Amino acid sequence: MACNSSTCNSSGCYKGYVEEEQPKPNTKAAVNGGNSCQNLCVKCKVNEPVCCGIGGENSRFCKDCFKNNLYGKFKQAVTYNAMITPPDKVLVAFSGGPSSRVVLQFVHEMQYKAQKNYDANKDKSLPVFGVGVAFIDESSTHSFTSQHIEKAIEDIRLIVSNLAPPSKELFVVPIESIFSSDGIDGKERLKELLDAVSDVTGKEDLLSHLRILLLQKIASENGYTRIVLGSCTSRIACHVISATVKGQGYSLSADIQYVDSRWEIPVVLPLRDCPAQELNTLCSLDGLKIVELLNGPCSGINGLVSSFVKVLQEENPSRECTIVRTAGKLTPFHFNRVPEIHDSNVPSATRRHQKRYTLKPNGSLSSDSFCPICNSPLKKSNFPSSLRSHGSQQNPDLFASACSSCQFQILPKDPSLMEEFLSLLPQQMITKAKHGDQGNFSLLREQIQEFLFSDGENEI
Amino acid sequence: MEADSKPKKSGARLCCVCNQNRAALKRPKTLEQICRECFYAVFEEEIHQVILENQLFKPGERIAIGASGGKDSTVLAYVLSELNRRHNYGLDLFLLSVDEGITGYRDDSLETVKRNELQYGLPLKIVSYKDLYGWTMDEIVKMIGLKNNCTFCGVFRRQALDRGAALLKVDKVATGHNADDIAETVLLNILRGDIARLSRCTSIITGEDGPIPRCKPFKYTYEKEIVMYAYFKKLDYFSTECIYSPNAYRGFAREFIKDLERIRFIPLCSCSSLTSVKFENFVVE
């Protein structure tokens, strides 16, 4: 195209063309190829773009296309990995931040659509999956004013109640409930436990282990079959780096897949392919309310990695995706897929789909033993004392059964303090330490499921 | 994160190994208080063990030491010739230097290597980009700008080392890559998604299926200890960085690892693996 700019000298220059284009109203007719990218949504080429994806200037979307793009990634992750099926009851872990707000929104929209289909359908055979929301109140570990936390909880209640129909149960649970004893005792015990960990990073990590255990507890006690986390690409990229530098390289692949079934209630990550930047943009575009609970800046290694990844991201917006893709090449574990669905309520098409697309056993690593604190899979060599201590159930050798990372950053250095530390840990971790060498029963059971009679289960 | 300090004896801090001499330094690797002589001994002994355990060399082999004139290669040349003598490795050692044609940097460091040739009595061979490829790095940078120079230079250098090694008719090339270098490389490869490199970069011996195998005797050696050794032994080395390095992507990784070590430093005695060696756990299929 001829360039009308009087200052331009090079041939094939379309700078002037684009500048000329600006004052004209946007028309439906597609204009010259790449030149019109500046003015129209790259997807529908109809509407005016209002935001950018992480591709920068090359990914300017209008509001609808942007949202559909993100929702599409979510939906694909859910379908491809059979994360949510009709008989499931799904617990969404809600922290108040943008990622969990978006995942809650998307899960709700998926449920809403399913409900509408159900209502419109004469055949009511397929139920609509249930959704609950869990918020872990960690105010006892920080110095928030009670008004601050009460206001936050109020906001959360409002958000959840507005996401109806279908209505969703909300659980607001203080972190100290992980201990069987509640109230003041729980708070004290939690404080003692965290104070017993001298390493800053270890403290933060221990808290996150307690958090996931509590989510498991809530899900299990209330009949939920899945836990949904809003972990996005950015969060996973940070985890890749921090796990590498903490020496958790062996177990890293277990934490970054779409599905993590080593827990009693499988944990799924449907926003794995969504960068934080896009989720933030969606929240502001769609007016999704975020409840900011400033837990204080993450210090220690986690905070350092976070700022490091941020710097890299500024230098190159696709860096987070590259990191996650690289780590995605690590061999996942056999529990990184949804357990086989034997429920006849699930359409056979879904079951066939899940069987075909999820990992085959020989394409994954198997692991029988897990660290009692962080539940990371252990290499067999880490666990020589299991056979020796098999008989002594009284004092499980916590140190020997833990992974090297937890040994270093969480467990007390002084062996004489170990027993006291043991007494402060929640019951779930102690049980794991005792039965560490017996591995994960549910996964073993899955392999022989078809040969078991239901009354044989009681003997296990 | 510091290890408990050893109990002091009437004001004088004694070396924890020999318990006789005054401690002159704190070992960066283990935070032990140690005197100079014991430091030399333990530094050299650890490298000797790495060489034995990984079977890096065989008697009668001709080995080219990649010599840049920097601290790593100078210390490597010094220690290898010392260990060769002391433990009778039976190796024929050579210095192999690559001239990339970077003015204000390489021309100065080459002078250092020439002095090393005399000081250590090791024959020196210099190969240059200009001779091999017809380009100096300065010319290349003028062409491609200041980004991604290291990628070009790295590829050319490896070729140059292979060619130089062939000219010297050596069996292996030994380079001074240390634990910090390898840690940075692992991180860099994760960030850039270079799966192929990631699976190779922690091996102590590489290129066994190629023309000349290469090994890294300093794989488990901390950079700080190499500097410490060179400083106390008063070894002659060139300490300026490549003039193009401020723009290198590796800088990100280096900064990060330095910050990381400020937060958490793991003395090797208390934990079986250290930050950089821990990266080995990053198993890639």
Side-chain angles (χ1 to χ4, degrees):
Chain A
M1 283 306 294
C3 173
N4 294 336
S5 166
S6 54
T7 54
C8 175
N9 288 320
S10 55
S11 57
C13 161
Y14 31 72
K15 231 163 76 172
Y17 182 80
V18 171
E19 279 160 19
E20 210 181 33
E21 189 67 33
Q22 294 281 27
K24 287 201 190 123
N26 294 319
T27 54
K28 279 203 173 138
V31 200
N32 265 359
N35 295 350
S36 56
C37 276
Q38 301 280 348
N39 294 332
L40 297 178
C41 166
V42 301
K43 181 92 177 140
C44 62
K45 304 216 187 337
V46 170
N47 300 324
E48 210 178 291
V50 298
C51 54
C52 282
I54 55 169
E57 283 305 305
N58 294 331
S59 62
R60 291 174 62 83
F61 291 100
C62 66
K63 180 173 160 183
D64 287 335
C65 289
F66 185 76
K67 182 167 176 187
N68 290 337
N69 180 272
L70 272 181
Y71 185 79
K73 288 185 198 167
F74 162 83
K75 192 80 209 298
Q76 184 171 43
V78 171
T79 318
Y80 202 75
N81 296 282
M83 286 183 186
I84 302 176
T85 58
D88 280 322
K89 265 184 84 178
V90 163
L91 184 68
V92 177
F94 188 73
S95 66
S99 305
S100 51
R101 183 67 189 87
V102 172
V103 82
L104 179 57
Q105 186 69 28
F106 283 175
V107 168
H108 161 70
E109 289 182 13
M110 202 175 127
Q111 189 193 33
Y112 184 74
K113 283 190 186 115
Q115 184 70 52
K116 281 180 77 174
N117 288 340
Y118 180 81
D119 292 337
N121 206 340
K122 283 206 190 80
D123 167 25
K124 305 280 188 196
S125 61
L126 283 182
V128 178
F129 63 92
V131 176
V133 183
F135 171 72
I136 312 276
D137 172 6
E138 292 178 29
S139 52
S140 55
T141 61
H142 305 287
S143 47
F144 289 134
T145 58
S146 56
Q147 298 138 300
H148 189 132
I149 194 72
E150 273 161 28
K151 168 89 178 42
I153 294 175
E154 263 313 300
D155 289 341
I156 293 173
R157 280 197 205 284
L158 198 59
I159 292 172
V160 175
S161 60
N162 283 340
L163 288 174
S167 64
K168 297 157 182 55
E169 198 176 356
L170 170 65
F171 302 91
V172 177
V173 187
I175 183 78
E176 54 267 19
S177 313
I178 188 64
F179 305 115
S180 320
S181 57
D182 225 334
I184 304 295
D185 282 344
K187 277 204 177 99
E188 268 304 310
R189 186 167 163 185
L190 181 66
K191 187 173 184 305
E192 267 190 68
L193 176 61
L194 292 178
D195 284 345
V197 180
S198 51
D199 187 294
V200 174
T201 311
K203 222 190 285 261
E204 280 173 15
D205 287 354
L206 179 59
L207 198 52
S208 63
H209 303 322
L210 295 176
R211 202 180 294 139
I212 193 78
L213 277 182
L214 184 54
L215 284 170
Q216 288 288 320
K217 187 176 175 203
I218 299 169
S220 167
E221 285 174 357
N222 292 281
Y224 284 89
T225 56
R226 295 280 186 269
I227 293 178
V228 170
L229 295 183
S231 304
C232 60
T233 310
S234 319
R235 168 82 78 133
I236 295 175
C238 288
H239 184 75
V240 169
I241 308 279
S242 54
T244 306
V245 305
K246 288 174 195 167
Q248 296 164 341
Y250 178 75
S251 57
L252 172 56
S253 63
D255 307 325
I256 57 165
Q257 307 299 328
Y258 288 102
V259 178
D260 184 354
S261 298
R262 70 192 121 146
W263 308 94
E264 190 196 331
I265 313 289
V267 175
V268 298
L269 276 50
L271 291 187
R272 188 178 178 268
D273 303 316
C274 305
Q277 186 188 329
E278 291 188 355
L279 297 174
N280 279 328
T281 306
L282 183 64
C283 285
S284 54
L285 273 186
D286 245 10
L288 298 178
K289 186 155 164 54
I290 302 169
V291 181
E292 283 290 10
L293 273 166
L294 295 151
N295 290 337
C298 252
S299 44
I301 292 179
N302 300 323
L304 176 65
V305 170
S306 207
S307 26
F308 176 57
V309 173
K310 199 152 163 263
V311 165
L312 292 177
Q313 189 70 4
E314 279 161 20
E315 188 263 341
N316 183 336
S318 53
R319 188 62 64 201
E320 286 167 356
C321 294
T322 307
I323 294 172
V324 174
R325 202 182 328 124
T326 310
K329 302 278 194 237
L330 290 169
T331 315
F333 286 83
H334 66 294
F335 47 73
N336 284 118
R337 57 193 166 95
V338 173
E340 280 210 23
I341 306 165
H342 298 284
D343 193 333
S344 53
N345 279 338
V346 177
S348 52
T350 310
R351 278 188 280 165
R352 273 197 308 266
H353 184 108
Q354 189 245 338
K355 257 191 148 92
R356 207 183 314 141
Y357 285 106
T358 52
L359 302 159
K360 295 286 173 282
N362 55 359
S364 55
L365 291 175
S366 70
S367 185
D368 295 327
S369 45
F370 296 83
C371 171
I373 300 184
C374 63
N375 208 24
S376 57
L378 300 171
K379 261 195 268 212
K380 307 266 188 297
S381 55
N382 279 16
F383 207 48
S385 64
S386 64
L387 296 165
R388 275 188 277 121
S389 65
H390 191 86
S392 59
Q393 299 291 317
Q394 289 303 99
N395 283 319
D397 191 350
L398 188 64
F399 190 81
S401 56
C403 69
S404 56
S405 178
C406 288
Q407 282 175 355
F408 180 79
Q409 67 173 14
I410 294 180
L411 296 181
K413 299 272 184 290
D414 185 352
S416 64
L417 298 172
M418 192 66 73
E419 194 153 343
E420 198 197 321
F421 192 80
L422 207 69
S423 69
L424 292 170
L425 287 176
Q427 193 54 41
Q428 294 93 323
M429 289 183 183
I430 311 290
T431 319
K432 268 218 198 91
K434 279 187 188 160
H435 299 290
D437 57 344
Q438 291 167 35
N440 194 327
F441 264 140
S442 61
L443 284 150
L444 284 175
R445 191 178 350 124
E446 193 194 309
Q447 289 176 43
I448 53 169
Q449 182 73 34
E450 52 191 303
F451 300 109
L452 294 177
F453 294 120
S454 53
D455 49 14
E457 301 252 348
N458 297 331
E459 288 157 23
I460 294 172
Chain B
M1 294 297 118
E2 289 209 316
D4 296 335
S5 49
K6 303 278 181 254
K8 295 178 191 166
K9 285 189 181 177
S10 56
R13 210 176 269 156
L14 288 185
C15 168
C16 64
V17 176
C18 65
N19 272 312
Q20 285 177 349
N21 300 332
R22 257 196 65 214
L25 60 123
K26 203 164 53 178
R27 244 199 108 177
K29 200 178 218 179
T30 58
L31 301 177
E32 293 169 314
Q33 290 168 175
I34 199 168
C35 69
R36 280 174 22 180
E37 295 305 320
C38 290
F39 174 63
Y40 299 152
V42 72
F43 182 82
E44 290 157 8
E45 181 59 24
E46 279 175 11
I47 293 167
H48 172 61
Q49 286 306 321
V50 166
I51 291 172
L52 289 183
E53 281 164 25
N54 294 279
Q55 295 165 23
L56 295 187
F57 307 122
K58 290 199 228 347
E61 278 184 332
R62 291 162 66 91
I63 309 289
I65 301 171
S68 61
K71 57 171 172 28
D72 298 327
S73 48
T74 300
V75 172
L76 180 63
Y78 182 90
V79 172
L80 259 189
S81 24
E82 180 51 40
L83 292 178
N84 191 29
R85 243 191 314 273
R86 189 186 299 166
H87 296 283
N88 297 316
Y89 289 164
L91 304 173
D92 259 334
L93 299 175
F94 299 86
L95 291 176
L96 176 55
S97 204
V98 177
D99 177 8
E100 308 100 340
I102 301 176
T103 28
Y105 169 66
R106 189 50 81 204
D107 39 8
D108 290 336
S109 69
L110 279 177
E111 292 309 308
T112 312
V113 185
K114 286 181 189 147
R115 286 198 301 273
N116 290 156
E117 179 186 21
L118 301 169
Q119 289 156 353
Y120 307 149
L122 302 174
L124 165 66
K125 173 115 194 83
I126 302 178
V127 287
S128 79
Y129 283 10
K130 191 70 188 176
D131 291 338
L132 290 172
Y133 313 122
W135 287 79
T136 62
M137 265 320 285
D138 287 342
E139 287 163 5
I140 293 173
V141 172
K142 270 205 199 75
M143 198 60 120
I144 64 168
L146 287 168
K147 251 190 155 175
N148 293 326
N149 314 328
C150 298
T151 309
F152 281 81
C153 192
V155 174
F156 286 151
R157 184 172 319 108
R158 280 178 194 83
Q159 248 269 358
L161 278 176
D162 283 347
R163 302 249 207 131
L167 286 169
L168 282 171
K169 295 193 189 22
V170 295
D171 303 296
K172 279 196 186 94
V173 173
T175 52
H177 289 99
N178 58 48
D180 297 57
D181 291 330
I182 295 179
E184 287 162 22
T185 305
V186 170
L187 195 53
L188 219 50
N189 288 332
I190 295 173
L191 297 180
R192 298 185 120 169
D194 199 332
I195 312 291
R197 287 211 168 94
L198 197 52
S199 58
R200 296 190 306 250
C201 64
T202 52
S203 307
I204 196 168
I205 302 176
T206 51
E208 278 170 302
D209 49 351
I212 308 269
R214 265 176 254 132
C215 66
K216 305 179 174 79
F218 282 173
K219 180 184 170 191
Y220 300 99
T221 316
Y222 285 41
E223 188 169 15
K224 281 211 174 82
E225 298 219 331
I226 293 174
V227 174
M228 196 86 88
Y229 190 88
Y231 171 75
F232 280 113
K233 283 264 184 182
K234 294 188 176 37
L235 296 180
D236 184 2
Y237 69 91
F238 186 70
S239 58
T240 307
E241 280 199 336
C242 173
I243 56 175
Y244 298 122
S245 64
N247 310 97
Y249 199 69
R250 185 172 279 261
F252 283 113
R254 183 166 301 171
E255 267 306 304
F256 172 68
I257 290 180
K258 295 234 169 336
D259 290 336
L260 191 62
E261 288 197 315
R262 256 175 246 134
I263 294 180
R264 174 180 291 185
F265 187 84
I266 305 159
L268 209 61
C269 49
S270 73
C271 184
S272 60
S273 42
L274 118 99
T275 320
S276 57
V277 176
K278 271 177 176 182
F279 287 8
E280 268 198 63
N281 286 336
F282 200 94
V283 171
V284 182
E285 69 168 339

